[in-house]
Each structure stands twice: as C-alpha cells, then as structure tokens.
Amino acid sequence: MTHPVRCTRIGVPVDWSTKDSPARVDLRVAKVTASRPEARVGVLLFNPGGPGASAASLLTDPAVFADYFPTDLRERFDIVGVDPRGVGGSQPISCAQPPDDPAATRFPTTARQAGQLVVANARFALSCLDKAGALIRHVGTESVARDLDHVRSRLGEERISFLGVSYGTMVAQSYAELFPHRLRALALDGVVDRAQPWRQAIEVNASAVEDGVSRFVAWCAATPTCALHGQDVRGAISRALARADVSPLPAGDRTLNAELLATALNAAISSPGFFSFAAKGLRAIVDRGDATTLLPFSPYNDLPGRAVYRAIACQGVTPPQRADELVEATRLSRKLSPTLRGASDGWDILSGCAGWPIPTSWRPHGWRVPSDFPRALLLSGSHDVSTPRPWAENVHRQIPNSVLLRWDGDGHTAWLGGHSPQAKQAAARYLVDPATPVSTVSSSTR
C-alpha cells in the first residue's frame, strides 16, 4: 500500500494574544493525501485525545494509519495530523518533578491533607514552568484551536472537517466556538461535557466507574478463562487494596500503594480488551502480593507522558480549590464509586489540578455556537468509564441540529480498541457526506 505521507513544521505564536511577539512554537504537521484524488472531499483534521497524544505519529506509520482511519476517509480526504503544542514533535513539555507525590494523598479527608495535596500540585506545576517556560501557560484548548485554524489557513482551505476523540472533543469545542463557520463537518467520539461544574462531573464519572466494575465482574463470571472465574471479584479487589494499604506492592522496579493500584485498576477496566489483564493482576496480588501485571496501567507506565497530560489538562478545568471542597469531593467520589475508592479519570484530573498556580481562563459553560452550526455527529457508548453517556446526552442538547449515535457496549470511545466498528464506520460515512442519514448502530439498545 502506498502511503504518501508528508511532514513539515509550522510556526505559531506561543501567546496568540500577542502574536507579534518573537516567542514561537513549531508545530509538527503530517499529511496523507486522499488515495482517490478524483473523489477528494477536502481536508480532515483530527485530535486523538489524551491530552498528550500525537496526531502526526498516527499518520507516519502505514499500519497504524490504516487501522485508525476507515477506507472511506483514507480515499476521500487529505488527512492532516498536528501534534498539539507541548506534545510529541511540537516542543513537548517537560517537568523537573514527577506529577504524583506519594506523600500527598489524592483523596484528602482532612483540611491538612487537602493542604498537602495543593502544595504538592503547586510544586509540580512550578517545576514544569521552570523547564518549559512560557509555553506552559499557553497549552489550553483555545491555543490549540487557534493553531489548528492557522494550519487550515496555510493549507488554503476555506473549511475543514474535524474528528475529535475523547480529549479531542474539548479541542473541538474551542474550535467550534472560535471558528464555527470554518467547519464543514464535526464528529465527536467519547464526548466530554465542559458545561458541568466539578461536583456534577465527579458524580457522573464516579458512577460510570462503579458501573464499569460491575461490567468487569459480570464478564469474569461469564468467562471461564478469567483468572478469577467463579470467585468473588469485588472481594478480590477489596483484598488487593487492603494488602496495598499495609505496604506498597512490588511491581517490577516500582511499588504501588493502594491509591496507585486503584488508579491502575480503573484504567484496566476501561476496555474489555484489558479485562483479562485486570483479572490476572488481581489474582497475582491476592495470591503472591505481586502487582507487576498491573504496572502498565499505572501512572508509572509513562511518567513524561503523565506530566504532559496533567499540565495540559489543568489549563482546561476548574477543580475544587478550598480544603472543604476537596474533602467533600473525596467523600462524593468514594460514595459513588466505593469499589475503587473513588478512582476515576475525572477525579485524577480534578485532584491533580487543585491549587494549580498557573492561571487558566477556562470556566465551565455549554457550547456557544450559532443556530446555523453544521450538523454534528456525536458517538457514545453505554458503558464508557472515562467519558460517560450522560456527558454526551448533555452536549447533544447544547449543539443545534446535532445527532447522537448511541451504541451499546463496553469501552472508552467507539474509535479506539475496536469497541464499536459499526459506530466508527457510521462516523466515516457522515464525515464524507454530512447530510447522510445516521441510524442507530444495530447493536445499540439504549
């Protein structure tokens, strides 16, 4: 298969509010032209999520490119991947301190613990500022959206089609608000609802995690090859966490305390493709006290990537700040997601950004787009641990003329992990022709 990928670098201002400043960041841009140029529709820009995922890298590997983009998209679009500022080949952020301080609990139950968490977060943020400089203040979604529109302009395109996956839906919101008439089509998979204040976000995400645990337990009961088949799976989780409470568990060249173990288990139940690893990991802990199997799902798996993730995420949320709010948030998370003691992707971000000393202008609000905004397509799975269905439902109500394709099943997004090939293909058809009818996926019941 021919794979005519071209790469370049495009310079943009570090701070778009002072774009005449000499401070610049070079964006890594990759482009694969339509394989059927005679049927070319236009340009498809995309953000694959994270935050911290490289878009350009998805285009440079032919096998990955073919797997990520259905044939319809490869044939009909020039597909352009831009590494967001601070990510991959676009001046990646680096920080002198690790993002997680084991001495500061991420689940404070007292004002003193809340204060320790805020101090630890501030220490990490300042270490990023020391190493990354001014860029660290300008890695939010609005800056990324302005970068993407500059790339659009350089490509000579009046309008683009856009695919946002997970965190990419947050970038899409900023782009849609700033440049609504530059969009020809907009597909959103794994939708983040940025209108919710932190209490509602925690309520929805924590409940989704507990649902995810139930789905994992049910899978293990129905699957003879599950390492915990026929056993009390919730009890195994409880025993594993209790064992880590007594002493951090060895995991390769690392150790996992109970909070890190809960975080790893949250990641391991995010996709049915990981369920067998979650079960094997729990079995190894219960039998031998060895957490090595779960290490790849822990924050230790990619410390540089986690630093980028945290630094960017904190420019796009408004977490609880006061000690009493952090204590209340812990109580709420643990009440709604007791099995994993409140661990969730949303809590990881909100607790990690509490006390973040680098200002952000972001405030929760619904989508602000005109009434003639293009017909957008949203995809949502019924058991998405990371971006739950209620978020997609709420965003669907916010966007005029939008369509919500609900698919039934487990996994974070339809696009990733093969969780819903039907929904992914429906999105590809929509992107080629935004007027095409979109029906519910055949396996969807909700």
Side-chain angles (χ1 to χ4, degrees):
M1 180 183 72
T2 59
H3 186 67
V5 60
R6 299 175 61 189
C7 296
T8 190
R9 307 194 73 81
I10 295 178
V12 293
V14 168
D15 181 357
W16 275 101
S17 68
T18 57
K19 57 185 180 182
D20 293 331
S21 167
R24 312 288 286 180
V25 56
D26 284 338
L27 304 175
R28 182 192 183 205
V29 181
K31 174 183 174 182
V32 177
T33 57
S35 62
R36 291 179 56 206
E38 74 282 0
R40 178 183 179 274
V41 171
V43 165
L44 175 66
L45 279 166
F46 71 103
N47 183 288
S54 165
S57 295
L58 287 173
L59 272 60
T60 56
D61 184 313
V64 173
F65 173 72
D67 179 66
Y68 197 87
F69 294 100
T71 302
D72 290 350
L73 299 184
R74 302 196 309 270
E75 288 182 345
R76 306 293 298 277
F77 284 98
D78 293 345
I79 300 176
V80 177
V82 182
D83 283 358
R85 53 175 55 209
V87 172
S90 297
Q91 198 171 321
I93 294 167
S94 60
C95 306
Q97 298 281 342
D100 300 288
D101 182 353
T105 176
R106 293 276 159 197
F107 295 89
T109 57
T110 66
R112 180 173 179 272
Q113 289 179 336
Q116 291 172 333
L117 176 60
V118 166
V119 169
N121 290 341
R123 185 183 304 118
F124 166 68
L126 293 174
S127 82
C128 299
L129 186 61
D130 286 344
K131 291 202 73 174
L135 178 61
I136 200 71
R137 300 181 183 275
H138 303 285
V139 290
T141 57
E142 182 174 320
S143 293
V144 174
R146 293 187 183 281
D147 293 345
L148 292 177
D149 198 62
H150 182 71
V151 171
R152 174 204 60 77
S153 176
R154 290 286 299 272
L155 291 168
E157 297 290 321
E158 285 296 317
R159 295 192 302 163
I160 58 165
S161 300
F162 190 85
L163 167 66
V165 179
S166 191
Y167 167 77
T169 67
M170 297 172 66
V171 175
Q173 177 170 344
S174 287
Y175 191 92
E177 290 181 338
L178 291 168
F179 311 105
H181 300 299
R182 293 299 185 186
L183 283 166
R184 169 190 169 272
L186 177 63
L188 307 172
D189 184 14
V191 183
V192 179
D193 179 14
R194 304 188 81 189
Q196 294 188 92
W198 64 261
R199 284 182 183 83
Q200 285 83 353
I202 287 173
E203 286 175 355
V204 173
N205 205 180
S207 298
V209 170
E210 195 64 24
D211 173 66
V213 171
S214 297
R215 300 288 292 183
F216 168 60
V217 170
W219 171 86
C220 208
T223 308
T225 56
C226 172
L228 295 171
H229 182 66
Q231 299 185 31
D232 176 6
V233 178
R234 288 184 189 273
I237 294 173
S238 178
R239 292 194 299 276
L241 291 171
R243 192 161 184 166
D245 282 331
V246 175
S247 178
L249 303 174
D253 61 349
R254 302 279 185 173
T255 60
L256 300 183
N257 62 22
E259 290 185 9
L260 291 172
L261 176 58
T263 299
L265 286 169
N266 175 63
I269 66 166
S270 67
S271 169
F274 300 150
F275 283 0
S276 63
F277 295 99
K280 290 175 185 176
L282 284 166
R283 183 66 182 265
I285 292 171
V286 171
D287 289 352
R288 306 188 304 277
D290 183 0
T292 303
T293 302
L294 291 173
L295 182 62
F297 300 96
S298 80
Y300 286 133
N301 184 50
D302 178 12
L303 283 174
R306 185 164 172 80
V308 172
Y309 172 90
R310 178 73 54 74
I312 294 175
C314 290
Q315 289 291 296
V317 296
T318 51
Q321 298 289 350
R322 301 195 316 267
D324 62 323
E325 290 180 330
L326 285 165
V327 171
E328 177 194 350
T330 294
R331 180 198 60 77
L332 182 61
S333 292
R334 288 185 162 171
K335 176 184 177 182
L336 295 173
S337 181
T339 307
L340 295 186
R341 301 182 177 181
S344 71
D345 288 357
W347 177 250
D348 180 67
I349 291 173
L350 290 171
S351 66
C353 296
W356 194 254
I358 301 169
T360 174
S361 61
W362 172 257
R363 296 295 179 269
H365 65 268
W367 288 60
R368 299 167 179 162
V369 293
S371 59
D372 61 348
F373 189 70
R375 175 176 178 255
L377 175 64
L378 286 63
L379 310 179
S380 176
S382 55
H383 301 284
D384 188 329
V385 169
S386 300
T387 51
R389 170 70 60 78
W391 289 355
E393 296 281 3
N394 198 34
V395 172
H396 171 44
R397 289 188 288 268
Q398 296 169 34
I399 306 179
N401 307 316
S402 63
V403 176
L404 175 57
L405 193 162
R406 304 169 181 89
W407 57 274
D408 189 28
D410 303 288
H412 175 42
T413 79
W415 218 267
L416 306 174
H419 297 141
S420 179
Q422 303 98 321
K424 184 175 178 178
Q425 191 58 52
R429 290 193 296 269
Y430 155 81
L431 285 166
V432 170
D433 180 7
T436 190
V438 179
S439 59
T440 302
V441 178
S442 59
S443 62
S444 177
T445 59
R446 304 187 182 188

